[in-house]
Amino acid sequence: MSQMKSLAKDTAIYGLSSIVGRFLNWCFVFLYINVLKTQAEYGVVTNLYAYMALLLIILTYGLETGFFRFANDDKYDPEKVYTTGLISLACTSTLFFGAVLLFLHPVSRLLGYAGYTDYIWMLSLIIAMDAFTALPFAYLRYRKRPLRFAIGKLLSIFTNIFFNLFFLLLCPYLYKHWPATVSWFFNPSFMVGYILVSNIISSGIIFLFLLPEIFGIRYRFDIRIWKQMLRYSFPLLILGVAGVMNQTFDKMLYPTLAAGRPGYMSELGIYGAVYKIAIVLVMFTQAFRFAYEPFIFAKNKEKNTTDNRQSYADAMKYFIIFGLLIFLGVMFYIDLVQLVMPARYFVGITVVPIIMLAELFFGIFFNLSLWYKLTDRTRWGAWFSLFGFAVTIAINVLFVPRYGYIACAWAAFFCYLSMMLASYFIGQYHYPIRYDLKSIARYALLAGALYIIHLVVPIGNLPLKLLLRTLLLSIYVVYLIRRDLPLEEIPFINRYIPKK
């Protein structure tokens, strides 16, 4: 239990930056869809950031996990591993940005933005900076400095918020009432571009924040370590590319796949907006990931196989328990989204439960991935992701032209479900862990029953509807507390529990 407390504490601290950041970015979705004139404009934002997600994976090429793998190996000097990786990322990020500038017009035409080359070079600059700073953030995690990590992430978030508000709200207001104050730099037809400008400023400030981690260390490049890191990380790159393609393939290629549908860019804007509602579960998975990777590699050094595997099994159970709790919380109160989402977007809300379950499956898949990371069989991760990507491609290509973005949601669902099941059964052969499947099944059945009840009980009055759903959610929470989360184990609350 003490190990789970430590993991929970780090998850909470890392989660502060991840969850707060993603929540505020989630709030910005509602700013964008209310400020941008059409759903098609938000479709452009969705499309560009889908490309960004893919290129960030390519330009970090698995070095974060590779760094943890070799920095935790007693045979290597952690600082040499870190600086070797950092030099590698600096070179590749610089080459990427230089290549985009050199071939800016052909690249813009290829992506469908021939008349918007500014979007492309700004996007590539953000990607280059974020790819490079990924390893300094990983170094903070390795050194167990979650507070500095969280401060850096929050600084990035609040800087981005400030400039988004400045460009999207304040500048249009000043342009309307006192145009001379901002007309020398502000163009009201460039609103999508100002989203990218805000991101550039934020990424630049984070680079400055990380200067101690970048320059406050003696640089040494070891080509032997570099080759070993690349050999270890290359399958993770394939895994990452396939994984992010599973998440963004529909958003990148929707304009092509749905070109025969009327208003396909508006559909993409709607899908991109409602997809963000499911980000709450992604926040939890991301926060867990930041704490879990250092945790499993550090535990693996202890060589206590039985104790380690029990810890991994416990972590899986609690991840699923709280993942289901988040799913119920979002679905029970989703009607409140109507208060901030324009009606023209709310038509897509039906895909949210499908996407949330898909993200839960992905989180479980990530938990299961420890077996091939710890046994240096990272090629299996690549195979699983390629398998899932094949499922994604097949469903999107076959059904998007006819059914639109609802097919995208089901593609994600079956992609992550198939990856999760494949990893579980193969992992049990190579690195068996006795997961508490009975307890997990009870929680899944309870969550499913509560979700069905909230669907079949018709209540037209919103306050009464929310009251019923709160009672249903309370049933799940009470069951959790009675079975797996005793009050005496919860910090702050336990001080008020009488000692036995």
Side-chain angles (χ1 to χ4, degrees):
M1 181 61 76
S2 62
Q3 293 163 344
M4 289 303 102
K5 286 182 182 178
S6 176
L7 179 60
K9 177 184 175 183
D10 285 351
T11 299
I13 296 175
Y14 289 122
L16 173 66
S17 58
S18 179
I19 292 174
V20 171
R22 286 181 177 267
F23 174 74
L24 292 173
N25 287 332
W26 179 77
C27 293
F28 266 110
V29 172
F30 301 103
L31 171 65
Y32 297 153
I33 63 181
N34 282 283
V35 169
L36 298 178
K37 294 179 181 179
T38 65
Q39 298 100 304
E41 280 190 300
Y42 188 68
V44 171
V45 175
T46 301
N47 186 242
L48 289 174
Y49 275 84
Y51 281 111
M52 181 185 291
L54 172 63
L55 289 169
L56 273 174
I57 293 294
I58 293 174
L59 285 177
T60 52
Y61 41 94
L63 279 190
E64 287 180 88
T65 302
F67 164 70
F68 284 118
R69 163 65 179 83
F70 290 96
N72 281 285
D73 192 324
D74 294 333
K75 294 186 296 184
Y76 303 98
D77 178 357
E79 290 193 356
K80 185 183 289 186
V81 173
Y82 171 60
T83 55
T84 296
L86 201 57
I87 291 170
S88 181
L89 285 178
C91 293
T92 52
S93 296
T94 302
L95 286 172
F96 164 76
F97 183 59
V100 170
L101 291 181
L102 186 62
F103 301 103
L104 182 60
H105 291 283
V107 170
S108 300
R109 284 196 299 272
L110 179 65
L111 297 179
Y113 295 97
Y116 302 92
T117 55
D118 286 342
Y119 292 174
I120 304 306
W121 76 256
M122 287 192 294
L123 186 75
S124 65
L125 178 58
I126 297 166
I127 293 167
M129 287 192 290
D130 288 355
F132 175 71
T133 56
L135 200 57
F137 273 117
Y139 187 58
L140 289 174
R141 291 160 57 198
Y142 167 77
R143 294 180 60 196
K144 299 190 183 300
R145 299 190 64 188
L147 288 178
R148 179 163 171 78
F149 178 96
I151 290 170
K153 291 293 185 179
L154 290 173
L155 176 63
S156 171
I157 293 157
F158 286 113
T159 302
N160 198 26
I161 289 171
F162 175 82
F163 284 100
N164 267 281
L165 293 175
F166 176 75
F167 286 117
L168 301 184
L169 291 182
L170 180 60
C171 285
Y173 178 82
L174 294 174
Y175 188 84
K176 180 178 179 181
H177 296 282
W178 300 282
T181 59
V182 294
S183 59
W184 58 279
F185 72 87
F186 178 73
N187 180 357
S189 65
F190 194 63
M191 299 300 276
V192 172
Y194 290 126
I195 295 173
L196 296 171
V197 170
S198 301
N199 204 328
I200 287 174
I201 297 171
S202 171
S203 296
I205 288 175
I206 286 306
F207 178 84
L208 296 176
F209 173 82
L210 291 169
L211 286 180
E213 283 71 36
I214 296 172
F215 294 110
I217 191 168
R218 185 165 66 93
Y219 274 80
R220 291 169 292 169
F221 185 83
D222 188 315
I223 193 166
R224 182 177 64 90
I225 293 176
W226 182 67
K227 289 180 178 179
Q228 290 178 323
M229 289 176 72
L230 290 184
R231 191 178 303 114
Y232 176 86
S233 299
F234 182 74
L236 297 179
L237 168 62
I238 304 301
L239 183 156
V241 169
V244 79
M245 286 295 284
N246 289 335
Q247 295 176 326
T248 61
F249 175 83
D250 49 1
K251 303 172 192 67
M252 284 191 293
L253 296 185
Y254 196 87
T256 301
L257 296 174
R261 297 176 60 83
Y264 61 88
M265 284 303 291
S266 294
E267 285 187 338
L268 178 58
I270 292 170
Y271 179 58
V274 298
Y275 194 98
K276 292 290 186 179
I277 296 175
I279 210 72
V280 178
L281 196 52
V282 180
M283 297 177 205
F284 174 62
T285 301
Q286 182 75 1
F288 187 85
R289 173 180 173 268
F290 284 145
Y292 194 54
E293 276 191 337
F295 171 80
I296 62 171
F297 284 112
K299 286 288 295 177
N300 195 50
K301 291 174 66 175
E302 297 175 8
K303 306 301 181 184
N304 188 339
T305 304
T306 302
D307 180 60
N308 291 354
R309 298 193 189 199
Q310 183 58 48
S311 296
Y312 304 149
D314 290 341
M316 171 69 84
K317 184 177 79 169
Y318 284 105
F319 175 85
I320 294 174
I321 288 172
F322 285 99
L324 290 170
L325 176 62
I326 292 169
F327 170 82
L328 291 176
V330 171
M331 297 315 305
F332 284 175
Y333 299 103
I334 198 168
D335 289 321
L336 297 176
V337 174
Q338 297 179 73
L339 302 176
V340 289
M341 177 176 278
R344 63 183 184 271
Y345 286 91
F346 203 73
V347 65
I349 213 74
T350 52
V351 304
V352 174
I354 304 170
I355 295 168
M356 288 202 72
L357 288 176
E359 294 295 345
L360 180 61
F361 294 152
F362 177 73
I364 296 171
F365 169 75
F366 172 78
N367 275 265
L368 293 168
S369 69
L370 66 91
W371 73 262
Y372 57 76
K373 291 178 180 178
L374 293 179
T375 59
D376 289 349
R377 292 185 174 96
T378 50
R379 65 184 182 278
W380 277 106
W383 286 117
F384 294 142
S385 289
L386 289 171
F387 172 51
F389 185 42
V391 174
T392 298
I393 291 176
I395 295 177
N396 275 284
V397 170
L398 291 175
F399 298 107
V400 164
R402 181 173 180 181
Y403 297 104
Y405 56 77
I406 189 71
C408 299
W410 281 114
F413 179 92
F414 286 110
C415 162
Y416 293 135
L417 176 63
S418 60
M419 289 168 59
M420 177 188 74
L421 293 175
S423 183
Y424 172 76
F425 287 112
I426 296 175
Q428 288 300 97
Y429 174 78
H430 290 286
Y431 193 86
I433 297 175
R434 296 187 62 181
Y435 294 109
D436 189 357
L437 298 181
K438 289 184 179 180
S439 182
I440 291 171
R442 291 192 193 101
Y443 279 100
L445 290 173
L446 175 60
L450 295 174
Y451 179 71
I452 291 171
I453 291 171
H454 111 279
L455 289 177
V456 300
V457 177
I459 299 177
N461 183 276
L462 181 59
L464 290 178
K465 184 187 295 185
L466 295 177
L467 177 60
L468 171 65
R469 294 176 180 180
T470 300
L471 293 174
L472 293 175
L473 190 63
S474 299
I475 293 172
Y476 186 92
V477 172
V478 169
Y479 181 80
L480 165 60
I481 291 173
R482 290 178 64 87
R483 286 192 61 89
D484 290 288
L485 195 65
L487 294 178
E488 58 269 18
E489 296 289 347
I490 303 177
F492 304 111
I493 294 178
N494 59 4
R495 68 182 64 178
Y496 301 106
I497 303 298
K499 302 296 182 183
K500 295 182 180 179

